[in-house]
Amino acid sequence: MTAIDPDAFLRDLYELRKIGQFRTGVHRPTYSPQDMESRRWLMEKLAACGLEASIDGIGNVYGRHKGPGPHLLVGSHIESQNEAGWLDGALGVVAGVALARAGLPVDVFAFADEEGHFGGGFLGSLSIIGDLTDAEIDRCHNRTGTTLREALRNAGLEGKPRLQLEPGRHKGFFEMHIEQGTQLERAGLHIGVVTGIVAIWQWRLVIEGQQDHAGGTTMAERKDAGLTAVRLLAAIDAEFPRVAGERSTWTTGRIVLDPGAASIIPGRAEVLFQFRDVSVPVLERMEATLRALVREANRRERCAVTLDAVSKAVPALCDPTMMRSLAEAAEQLAPAAWQEMPSGAGHDAQNIARRMPAAMLFVPSIDGISHHWAEDTKDEDLALGIRVLDEAARRFLATS
Ligand SMILES: [Zn+2]
């Protein structure tokens, strides 16, 4: 093994930034010519670092270390959101190249379509853990109606086998990523050691009232489903801070009033509500509070409220030994300038964590901007990040 080369790491990042360049960011939707060019660029880089490079039937680029293990898996995604940032995903992939160049026993992955151009996202990481069926691939398409099958054919990937993780090959998975928030910057810190990726618990609230005339029906008589919905949501917002965690979030993404006309009292309201946290006990406290508030609304209001759980995901917790390696490396190279923190956004690591120990490292995002071409991180934070990841990977490899 040789020392990590942060300058070569930055050079690679800046080279990749030119592929599909859009203003100061990039436009590389999955399987587009620009995206495929970036995948070919990556394969050349991996081969130049001595890895065996290949691309599979879903577009995953794999760089396989030829020497003996134990091996680490390092990676992220290389496609971007539309007209978006140059670091989201690319950072974690190029970090893998940097560790390979330093001679660490790493396999590198660029997982296809984490960003969900062809569906719900994470196609590549779901595929390698065996959680993407051919029937699901048949169903996927993008916003312009191109099916995933057509896109794979046009990209020259049709008929290629899809890679699967080799059981027992990897000691753990590291994903380096930009924070995509302002926590580190606000605290004046440079490294985030991720504790886990939050779970989203999604709910549907249906409020049944009475559709009626907005002038003829007196205020005392009416059963306004819209008003009940709004009062309930305000009560949730008032109560949740008492039971939520420090970094919990809750969001009402959609309120539909039926029939939704200016002079009709809404007879029905449907609300999509979600909350997120990394801790199951916190999620359960929020659920209990939500249920209590719905019961209270049903006692007090003239409308009937029903609550349905749409989905309750499991948080992906980072591996404690890998987190310790990251924390020790951060303290060595950035004393007192790092913190532990959850990830509020989803990442490929949440899927890989179902098959092996996984951990994530965050570097600050300038002004928290991401999924926008202005997304950026200071060069010195990128360089510090790769040095911390390299030190952590060496420490973790040395653990028994
Ligand atoms: Zn990303």
Side-chain angles (χ1 to χ4, degrees):
M1 288 192 257
T2 58
I4 191 82
D5 185 347
D7 292 331
F9 169 67
L10 289 175
R11 271 200 303 278
D12 284 349
L13 277 173
Y14 278 92
E15 232 177 272
L16 178 55
R17 187 183 197 170
K18 290 198 195 106
I19 304 177
Q21 185 174 353
F22 177 84
R23 302 200 186 180
T24 60
V26 295
H27 179 67
R28 291 198 302 260
T30 317
Y31 313 123
S32 65
Q34 309 91 298
D35 175 53
M36 293 310 293
E37 187 184 339
S38 73
R39 291 179 197 277
R40 286 190 298 272
W41 173 89
L42 176 62
M43 286 170 71
E44 278 169 29
K45 283 281 162 193
L46 293 168
C49 294
L51 303 189
E52 200 178 294
S54 61
I55 186 164
D56 81 350
I58 198 75
N60 283 332
V61 173
Y62 179 42
R64 186 186 163 89
H65 184 255
K66 291 173 188 162
H71 293 96
L72 295 178
L73 188 62
V74 181
S76 191
H77 58 98
I78 201 163
E79 83 280 337
S80 74
Q81 284 284 349
N82 293 326
E83 302 178 358
W86 66 297
L87 293 168
D88 181 359
L91 180 61
V93 173
V94 174
V97 173
L99 297 194
R101 183 182 288 122
L104 273 73
V106 295
D107 290 347
V108 180
F109 250 104
F111 303 111
D113 205 33
E114 188 270 352
E115 296 289 8
H117 290 275
F118 283 83
F122 307 104
L123 287 179
S125 52
L126 288 170
S127 178
I128 70 156
I129 66 167
D131 216 15
L132 180 71
T133 63
D134 279 309
E136 283 167 277
I137 293 177
D138 288 337
R139 279 196 294 274
C140 288
H141 57 84
N142 70 7
R143 257 158 288 179
T144 61
T146 305
T147 65
L148 177 52
R149 292 286 182 202
E150 284 173 70
L152 289 170
R153 189 180 320 130
N154 295 340
L157 298 170
E158 186 183 38
K160 278 186 185 284
R162 287 192 279 135
L163 288 167
Q164 298 286 293
L165 281 178
E166 286 170 46
R169 178 170 168 89
H170 300 111
K171 192 175 161 88
F173 172 66
F174 279 110
E175 183 171 2
M176 179 177 178
H177 207 280
I178 49 168
E179 181 199 345
Q180 305 175 288
T182 57
Q183 301 295 309
L184 291 173
E185 192 177 74
R186 278 166 194 265
L189 302 175
H190 301 284
I191 297 289
V193 175
V194 177
T195 53
I197 297 167
V198 298
I200 307 176
W201 287 17
Q202 309 251 31
W203 306 88
R204 180 183 296 106
L205 288 153
V206 175
I207 297 112
E208 298 284 356
Q210 176 67 53
Q211 181 182 333
D212 230 323
H213 194 286
T217 313
T218 64
M219 297 312 286
E221 292 173 302
R222 60 179 67 191
K223 294 180 180 172
D224 185 331
L227 270 183
T228 297
V230 168
R231 277 195 289 262
L232 174 58
L233 291 168
I236 292 169
D237 198 47
E239 280 304 309
F240 265 26
R242 286 186 239 278
V243 296
E246 212 181 311
R247 285 294 316 281
S248 304
T249 57
W250 53 95
T251 306
T252 304
R254 186 177 158 101
I255 303 174
V256 177
L257 300 182
D258 189 51
S263 292
I264 305 177
I265 300 163
R268 189 175 188 273
E270 188 177 317
V271 175
L272 295 184
F273 178 72
Q274 63 157 247
F275 49 79
R276 304 181 181 211
D277 200 87
V278 79
S279 150
V280 171
V282 168
L283 291 162
E284 285 171 344
R285 282 207 307 266
M286 293 169 89
E287 173 176 350
T289 302
L290 175 63
R291 289 190 182 282
L293 290 167
V294 168
R295 277 195 303 275
E296 201 181 309
N298 275 319
R299 273 197 301 273
R300 273 214 304 246
E301 299 277 345
R302 291 180 212 145
C303 303
V305 183
T306 52
L307 175 69
D308 285 315
V310 177
S311 61
K312 288 163 76 170
V314 183
L317 297 180
C318 291
D319 177 71
T321 307
M322 296 180 79
M323 278 177 59
R324 203 174 316 121
S325 299
L326 283 167
E328 287 168 2
E331 188 53 33
Q332 178 189 327
L333 296 165
W338 62 278
Q339 69 174 6
E340 290 190 349
M341 61 191 297
S343 171
H347 296 290
D348 289 304
Q350 73 200 44
N351 294 323
I352 308 304
R354 287 157 57 191
R355 293 292 182 271
M356 68 178 80
M360 290 192 74
L361 170 72
F362 277 170
V363 292
S365 295
I366 295 171
D367 295 330
I369 295 168
S370 185
H371 285 189
H372 185 284
W373 53 265
E375 168 192 288
D376 208 359
T377 296
K378 288 181 188 151
D379 279 358
E380 57 257 42
D381 283 336
L382 296 171
L384 177 64
I386 194 62
R387 289 171 58 223
V388 169
L389 180 67
D390 169 71
E391 177 61 28
R394 289 168 201 254
R395 283 173 183 261
F396 177 61
L397 279 168
T399 60
S400 49

